[in-house]
Amino acid sequence: MPPEAISRPNTHADPRGRRLESWKEIAAYLGRDVTTVRRWERREGLPVYRILHSKLGSVYAYTTELDAWRDSRAPAAATDAADANSALEIARHGARARRWLVVCGVAILALLVVAYFTTRSRLRGATRSKIRSLAVLPLKNLSGDPTQEYLADGMTEALIGRLSSIHDLRVISRTSAMQFKNTPLSVPEIAKTLHIDAIVEGSVIRDAGRIRVHAQLIRAATDEHFWSETYDRELRDVLALQSEVAQSIARKVEITLTGEEHAMLTAARSVSPDVYETYLKGRFNKNNTKAELEQSIVYFEDAIKKDPTFAAAYVGLADAYDSLGTVFVGAPPAEARQKQMSAARKALELDPTIAEAHALLADVLQRRWQWAEAEAEYRRALDLNPSDSAAHVGFARWLLCQGRADDAVAWARRARDLDPLGNVGTSIGYILFEARHYDEAIRAMRAVVGVRPEDASAYWYLGFALIANDQPEEAIPVLEKALSVSERSPGVMGVLIRAYAHSGRRSDALRVLEELKKRSQTGYVPAGAFVNAYLGLGDNEQAFAWMERAYQEQSNILQFLKVHPFFDPLRSDPRFANLVRRVGLG
């Protein structure tokens, strides 16, 4: 859209309020001089729009956005210009006073100047420590349209993804950063929670076919805003915009980039706004149930149909199939995994530097018991994106499958450092359970459900750990909650049967088992659900029969043969040792 289209006054009521058409009008509205307002726009992110034409430029702003910006500032910052004007006025009166007062004033001023520069020098020494870790907080949607929230979330995720490729910088994962959306906490409080040195915050405004992003860097310890910039681009150039913002942040935190890191930061291409929006709808669609995952797949496939060269859409598609083919969701794994592998490989064909695609490919290779290939893909993902918490979890799971429980826990804890409040908490809790750190697993899972009370998988994993910790009675309400929010997941049902049986409620266990059997007559039920059910009931012969079926469908549960606590009653049976060997773990 041409700039003139943006500058045309809106004749309809605008939710952003009255439009101010010049620096003079903006300054008058804020009750400050033009110089101060210009400084606020340059240094502190005052929401002012620029329209460039020829060598001249004009500006405009909206009163509602100005009010929101002013309300968000600290009271002390809002009075800085007034204080400065008062000081100048005193100085003018002092200049007209008698000479001896001038001399005294100069002496006092000299002392103040010395004190000021001494203090500033000391503060600089304290605040200029090297930034080695940061979080990108959710960018605010200032478009005045709640349906554009996914655009701000997508920009947040993209900045995190690009900055995460820098080895010398620890970047907090998106799922943890998102916990601070619209938070009342101060920057130092957030930084203390996440153990980071700096925070990136900002806003996104969409105006028809254009996008405006404001971003600023804040030192965590001092709340010092030491960089701020505003970018206006066509929406089709959103990927280039993400690259430009990430490069600016990298330069400001004074990180030395390798050649590969610089290439990944600067890589960009244009993308149709329609394609990008469709992709974002798939990315930020809720994915707690099979139906929600299938809706995400529709969005990704639509984006791919519109632009078969858009690698990110293939990554999203692979991620959706990764979740769909699990015992928790209950789709047939063979079909889901083939589609996951195909989508991940296509993404890497288009862009071999996408760490997430390597990690998703590693996931599916591991579930197909291609252990060496999976390890290579995990390591490549971690090399490309050392702050990718999901890749850390995936590699931790790989180590666990090899029987290297201590190494797995160490990698899982690194993932928790990168994503202390996010989605990986559930996976970390499960790894801790498999490694038999039951108390720690329970604490980890309770922390997740405390933040995300509708996270079905977190309740499911918590149920595993409570049963293993000889607390089956406490596991029952937890698993019943998981069953409710997951639309009666067959995987949850299998573990609930075990909880009922171990707490003496065998009739309830058999009732749920009967439901599983009836469901299997009309549709697919993962073999792993029956394995857990019969192990819980103590029927080892039926458990072995279903483990053979699980082998035929390459069930996820068989990855953990070497370590899974629920398999302990079978370990002395030669059939179990044979199964371990057949899945490549002997």
Side-chain angles (χ1 to χ4, degrees), residues 334-444:
E335 179 182 347
R337 288 176 192 162
Q338 184 57 45
K339 290 181 177 179
Q340 176 184 345
M341 179 175 286
S342 176
R345 290 195 186 282
K346 182 62 178 179
L348 292 173
E349 177 186 321
L350 293 167
D351 184 354
T353 67
I354 302 178
E356 186 180 359
H358 284 284
L360 287 164
L361 182 57
D363 287 345
V364 69
L365 289 169
Q366 177 167 304
R367 289 168 181 164
R368 296 175 72 164
W369 311 327
Q370 295 174 249
W371 303 108
E373 295 90 338
E375 180 187 13
E377 291 296 336
Y378 280 130
R379 291 191 182 279
R380 180 56 178 154
L382 290 163
D383 184 50
L384 288 168
N385 188 341
S387 290
D388 187 341
S389 59
H392 278 73
V393 166
F395 188 55
R397 195 182 293 117
W398 183 91
L399 291 165
L400 192 67
C401 294
Q402 310 306 309
R404 297 167 57 182
D406 290 344
D407 290 337
V409 170
W411 276 87
R413 287 174 176 156
R414 291 181 200 174
R416 185 167 56 193
D417 290 341
L418 294 166
D419 195 9
L421 306 175
N423 291 339
V424 299
T426 56
S427 298
I428 293 167
Y430 187 76
I431 290 168
L432 291 167
F433 151 73
E434 290 278 12
R436 302 171 192 252
H437 294 241
Y438 301 137
D439 288 336
E440 189 177 356
I442 290 168
R443 287 195 299 272

Side-chain angles (χ1 to χ4, degrees), residues 286-305:
K286 290 183 178 179
N287 291 321
N288 216 21
T289 67
K290 184 178 179 181
E292 290 168 351
L293 283 165
E294 288 172 341
Q295 180 57 58
S296 290
I297 288 170
V298 170
Y299 283 128
F300 292 130
E301 288 179 337
D302 188 27
I304 290 168
K305 183 179 179 180

Side-chain angles (χ1 to χ4, degrees), residues 248-269:
S248 296
I249 293 170
R251 284 193 297 269
K252 199 62 185 178
V253 299
E254 299 177 348
I255 291 291
T256 301
L257 302 177
T258 66
E260 186 175 41
E261 289 168 349
H262 184 266
M264 286 190 287
L265 272 183
T266 57
R269 49 156 285 183

Side-chain angles (χ1 to χ4, degrees), residues 12-256:
H12 301 285
D14 195 313
R16 292 171 292 185
R18 183 163 57 89
R19 178 160 157 164
L20 308 175
E21 300 287 352
S22 67
W23 283 115
K24 186 175 180 181
E25 286 188 37
I26 296 168
Y29 182 78
L30 293 172
R32 295 290 186 268
D33 57 61
V34 170
T35 300
T36 298
V37 172
R38 283 178 178 269
R39 176 171 57 81
W40 283 348
E41 189 272 342
R42 187 175 62 257
R43 298 183 181 178
E44 302 185 33
L46 183 71
V48 175
Y49 299 83
R50 281 186 168 81
I51 309 161
L52 297 179
H53 41 85
S54 184
K55 294 185 178 181
L56 301 176
S58 50
V59 298
Y60 64 95
Y62 293 99
T63 56
T64 300
E65 292 179 4
L66 295 177
D67 291 341
W69 176 87
R70 180 164 49 188
D71 291 344
S72 69
R73 298 183 78 230
T79 60
D80 54 358
D83 291 343
N85 288 336
S86 297
L88 288 172
E89 188 63 27
I90 291 170
R92 292 190 189 102
H93 285 298
R96 291 191 295 268
R98 292 189 302 176
R99 181 176 297 277
W100 67 271
L101 286 177
V102 173
V103 172
C104 290
V106 170
I108 292 171
L109 180 61
L111 289 172
L112 290 173
V113 168
V114 170
Y116 167 75
F117 281 105
T118 302
T119 303
R120 190 174 73 166
S121 177
R122 290 173 181 170
L123 285 174
R124 278 183 173 176
T127 61
R128 296 302 179 190
S129 56
K130 190 172 180 62
I131 293 172
R132 300 187 180 277
S133 57
L134 61 77
V136 181
L137 297 189
L139 301 181
K140 295 179 181 179
N141 169 30
L142 297 184
S143 299
D145 180 2
T147 65
Q148 296 296 311
E149 199 70 27
Y150 64 86
L151 186 61
D153 290 346
M155 182 64 67
T156 304
E157 180 182 63
L159 289 181
I160 292 171
R162 287 184 182 269
L163 292 170
S164 293
S165 67
I166 304 173
H167 285 69
D168 290 339
L169 188 66
R170 180 170 65 89
V171 182
I172 297 297
S173 292
R174 181 188 68 85
T175 49
S176 280
M178 282 297 178
Q179 302 304 317
F180 297 98
K181 194 166 190 173
N182 302 319
T183 181
L185 296 176
S186 68
V187 165
E189 288 172 324
I190 296 171
K192 184 177 181 181
T193 300
L194 298 175
H195 305 290
I196 52 174
D197 302 326
I199 278 177
V200 178
E201 65 177 17
S203 61
V204 176
I205 298 175
R206 178 179 178 175
D207 189 353
R210 293 188 70 83
I211 182 172
R212 182 176 192 264
V213 173
H214 171 74
Q216 57 187 358
L217 262 171
I218 308 168
R219 287 189 183 274
T222 61
D223 206 8
E224 173 200 358
H225 294 58
F226 67 101
W227 171 79
S228 177
E229 191 62 70
T230 301
Y231 305 81
D232 281 288
R233 298 289 183 276
E234 294 283 346
L235 189 56
R236 67 173 50 256
D237 295 325
V238 65
L239 303 184
L241 172 59
Q242 294 163 1
S243 169
E244 189 174 350
V245 178
Q247 289 179 70
S248 296
I249 293 170
R251 284 193 297 269
K252 199 62 185 178
V253 299
E254 299 177 348
I255 291 291
T256 301

